Every structure is written in structure tokens, then in C-alpha cells.
Amino acid sequence: MNKTVKRFRDAVWLLIAQTIGAFNDNVVKSMLLLMALALFDKDVMGRVNSQLALMIPATFVLFGPLAGWLSDRYSKRSVVSLALLAQVVGLLVIGIGIGTKSLNLAILGFFLLATQSAMLSPGKKGILKELVGSEKLGMAVGWMEMLTMVGILGGIYVGAEIFVALSEERTAWDAGQLVVFAVAGLAFFSWLIFKPTPRTEPKSAKPFEIPILWSHFGALRELRSSRPLLLAALGDAWFWAFGGFFFLVLVEWATVPEIVRQVGDDAGFRFWFGLLGVGIMLGSMISAYVGRGRVELGIVPLGALAMPMTLICLTLSDPMSTSFNVCCVLLGIGGAFFFVPLNAFLQDQAGDERRGRVVAASNLLTNLLSIVFIGIHYFLSGKLNLNPIEELWVMTVPAVLIA
């Protein structure tokens, strides 16, 4: 019997489509925040920001078990294709909300986008090994993480710039509607460009049962059944939860009066976040090739050590100094060395029949921990009144213990 040849180029259409998806989500998120500010005030913008920030982890938690079951029960190619098309539906709801001048309906549309992301994730990650095999899985995961960051950073920047430019000659409602419908066209294009991806077969015959919808602890049992998988998922969850915490600290840091006077209201935050993203992209690319395309866990300890070291560097540096900027990049590189190989290992070792459920369980763990870390940030800053430097010192402790 001839074995199907696994080729990296078979994953290219998926990589492009998921990058466009990440770009679209962040264009719309950036646009909605600026639209809320233009139409109302900073308080409304802050409320919208909190709502949008919580929707991503909330949908991954709510729909994680169902998303995992779908990716195992049906062809992952079909699941990804439908999820990509569903983004168009969410964007149209946002467009209708803006067209009827209903910010709440537009926010509901973003909830649909967040749900679409939750449904897409197990399929897009789980299909990688089916397309490229173990020999190139490390490379494929590195490229996926790098391109996801390109989409996130590009979407945040382009969304803000285009909305501001369009608002100069139009109302905020009209400018927002133009942005959304343009992005909807891109979403449809991402669905089209994914179509040449080779078909994959379903890996599980498990029928749907209503308890699947709330089988969250059952999903986590998929991880507990294998200690290596559990440790890999915990490491991946730690990085993303810490990343969300660091994001909030950067936002807080950017509001320090001295920094605002020097660079403006949000320029510092956008610049630092961009540097962190560049570091993650560089680290992801190095991780993709360090093992000649295979999954290489040897750089994980290096990443684990780099994270607390760069955190200490950040706390000792002036936020306006070159050393602070360099540390932001190094933190991203170290983080990618840590989580990219763990993510690839998780996908490689999960097993064909339950890969979707394992990825969904890992997503569930990541987002639960992210919610906990958001709570820790607000406790440290709101209840204990710690400044950004003191918050990073607190977070250095678990980083050192993990290293």
C-alpha cells in the first residue's frame, strides 16, 4: 500500500488563511475601540475594551469540548473551512450593528468572531500533523505562530490607521462600516484560498451526546491521562497567561504621566507590544528550523531561563531606555523558545483519534489560567496598588520557579 506523501507546501494555504483570520479579528477589535472613543468617551471605550478582552477566553472555555469533538469526529479540513466561512457571518453582524448605529449589536458580532476562533483552533492546529507529518511538524508550528503574530500586530496597526484616515471625511459609524465590509471581503478570500488544502479523513467515530457541551473536566482528563502531554499543556498555558498579564502591565505602564508626556497616550504601549511581537516572531522562526523541521524540545529550557532573566532586566531598566526595548524583544524570543516546541510536541503526541480534543483541552487550560492571571493583575494593581515594576517583580517569582 502506498503511503500518502506529507509535504510542507500542503499546509501553506492553511497558514495564509489563518493569518488573514487573525488579521481580521484584530482590525475589527482595534476599530471598535477607536469607534467607541470617537462616538462616546474613554469610559465607554474602557468598558468595550474589557468586554472584547474577556470574550476570547470566555468562548474558548464555553465551547472548548464541542470544538474538540467536532475536529475529531469530522474532517479537520471541513471544520476549518466552515469556521473560516463563519467569520464572514460574524463580520456581517458587526456591519449590521454599525449600520443601525447599535454598538451592542456590533459587540455581539464580535462575540460570534470569538466563537468562530474557538471552533477554528483545534482544527487548524490538529490538521498540521495530518498535512506535514512529524518530520516537518516543528517547522509548521513555528510558521503558524509567527504568522499569527504577524496577523495580530498587522491587524491592530492597520485597523487603527484605516479607521482614523476614513474618519477624517466621514462619521465614525460610516468609517467603521467601510472597514468591516472590507474585512468581510478578506474573510471570504481566506475561505477561498484555503480550498486547495488536501482533504483529511475523520479520526474518531464518537457520536455527539449532549453532555459533551459541558464535559470540561472530561476534556482535561485527556491531558491528565499522559504526564508529558499535561506538562506540555501547562507550559503552553503558562506562557499565554503570562503574556496576557504582561500585556495589561504594558497598558498600565503606558499611562504613567511621565511616559505620556514624552510619547503620547498610547504610543509607548503600541511600541513595546510591537517589540514583544517581533521577538515572538523571531523566536518562532528559529524554533521552526532549529530541529531541521522536527519537534525540538532542547530549546525549551533555554526559553524557560530567558523569561525570568529578561523580566529582571525589564524591572531594572528605564522604560524609555534602549535596554528596556531590547529586553522586550528578548522576552518574546525566549517565550517562543519555550512555548512553540511544547505546542508542537502536544500536537505530535496527542494521537490521531483524540488530537482535536487534546488541543481543545489545552486551549481550555490556557484560557482558564489567563482569566486567573487577569484577576491577579487587577488584584495587584487595584487592591494592593502595586505599580508596573512591582507587578513584574511578583511575576518573576513563578517564572524563576518554572525555570
Side-chain angles (χ1 to χ4, degrees):
M1 181 185 294
N2 293 328
K3 299 180 83 173
T4 304
V5 178
K6 307 287 187 180
R7 303 175 301 183
F8 181 80
R9 66 184 183 188
D10 287 335
V12 168
W13 310 114
L14 168 68
L15 295 174
I16 296 173
Q18 66 97 33
T19 304
I20 295 173
F23 176 84
N24 291 345
D25 287 346
N26 285 277
V27 166
V28 172
K29 182 178 180 181
S30 184
M31 179 274 297
L32 285 174
L33 292 176
L34 290 176
M35 191 173 71
L37 179 62
L39 292 169
F40 303 102
D41 52 36
K42 280 193 173 183
D43 290 337
V44 175
M45 178 186 176
R47 175 175 63 82
V48 172
N49 189 31
S50 298
Q51 290 173 339
L52 300 185
L54 283 173
M55 281 181 187
I56 298 294
T59 52
F60 273 83
V61 171
L62 285 172
F63 303 114
L66 176 62
W69 175 82
L70 284 170
S71 291
D72 287 332
R73 178 64 182 82
Y74 299 99
S75 164
K76 291 179 178 63
R77 181 189 179 280
S78 299
V79 172
V80 171
S81 182
L82 285 173
L84 290 171
L85 196 57
Q87 188 177 56
V88 179
V89 177
L91 288 165
L92 290 178
V93 173
I94 295 174
I96 293 170
I98 294 174
T100 57
K101 295 181 171 55
S102 171
L103 184 60
N104 288 333
L105 182 57
I107 291 172
L108 174 62
F110 191 85
F111 177 80
L112 296 179
L113 288 187
T115 302
Q116 175 264 342
S117 295
M119 293 300 184
L120 173 66
S121 182
K124 76 170 188 177
K125 291 182 177 181
I127 198 175
L128 276 180
K129 185 177 180 180
E130 295 178 26
L131 294 176
V132 305
S134 294
E135 292 296 308
K136 298 295 180 183
L137 183 59
M139 181 188 299
V141 172
W143 272 97
M144 178 171 280
E145 298 298 344
M146 187 277 290
L147 290 172
T148 298
M149 188 54 60
V150 169
I152 292 172
L153 294 178
I156 291 172
Y157 178 79
V158 171
E161 292 297 318
I162 290 181
F163 178 79
V164 170
L166 291 174
S167 297
E168 292 178 358
E169 298 180 356
R170 299 169 179 82
T171 67
W173 291 113
D174 290 341
Q177 197 164 41
L178 285 173
V179 171
V180 169
F181 286 129
V183 170
L186 270 179
F188 186 72
F189 174 71
S190 74
W191 175 71
L192 289 176
I193 206 169
F194 176 72
K195 292 182 76 66
T197 301
R199 175 172 172 76
T200 60
E201 298 300 323
K203 300 299 181 182
S204 171
K206 182 178 180 181
F208 175 76
E209 298 172 346
I210 294 296
I212 286 175
L213 298 175
W214 53 80
S215 61
H216 294 74
F217 291 105
L220 292 177
R221 275 199 297 271
E222 297 286 352
L223 296 175
R224 293 204 306 271
S225 64
S226 169
R227 189 169 182 272
L229 288 181
L230 177 61
L231 292 175
L234 284 171
D236 189 56
W238 151 253
F239 170 78
W240 288 111
F242 166 77
F245 181 93
F246 187 70
F247 174 88
L248 294 172
V249 171
L250 286 183
V251 172
E252 188 177 342
W253 222 325
T255 62
V256 173
E258 181 182 350
I259 293 175
V260 172
R261 282 195 300 270
Q262 294 186 54
V263 299
D265 285 341
D266 63 350
F269 153 70
R270 286 189 284 112
F271 179 65
W272 295 329
F273 183 65
L275 291 176
L276 182 67
V278 168
I280 292 175
M281 286 188 281
L282 289 173
S284 296
M285 280 291 84
I286 295 171
S287 300
Y289 290 96
V290 72
R292 296 175 182 259
R294 298 184 182 88
V295 178
E296 177 54 67
L297 295 178
I299 61 173
V300 172
L302 181 60
L305 287 170
M307 290 177 66
M309 291 174 64
T310 51
L311 273 179
I312 293 170
C313 173
L314 285 167
T315 57
L316 298 176
S317 300
D318 180 348
M320 302 307 298
S321 67
T322 301
S323 62
F324 188 90
N325 297 337
V326 171
C327 285
C328 282
V329 176
L330 292 177
L331 181 61
I333 293 174
F337 282 2
F338 182 71
F339 87 89
V340 171
L342 292 178
N343 200 333
F345 175 82
L346 193 75
Q347 295 174 42
D348 191 35
Q349 299 298 314
D352 289 342
E353 292 187 2
R354 61 171 186 160
R355 185 169 292 111
R357 296 195 299 276
V358 168
V359 171
S362 177
N363 289 340
L364 174 62
L365 187 62
T366 295
N367 287 280
L368 285 173
L369 193 60
S370 295
I371 293 171
V372 170
F373 271 47
I374 290 172
I376 291 173
H377 164 72
Y378 285 115
F379 175 76
L380 294 176
S381 62
K383 299 296 183 181
L384 299 184
N385 294 316
L386 299 187
N387 61 40
I389 293 177
E390 291 168 336
E391 285 191 72
L392 288 186
W393 275 119
V394 171
M395 201 48 56
T396 301
V397 175
V400 169
L401 292 176
I402 289 172

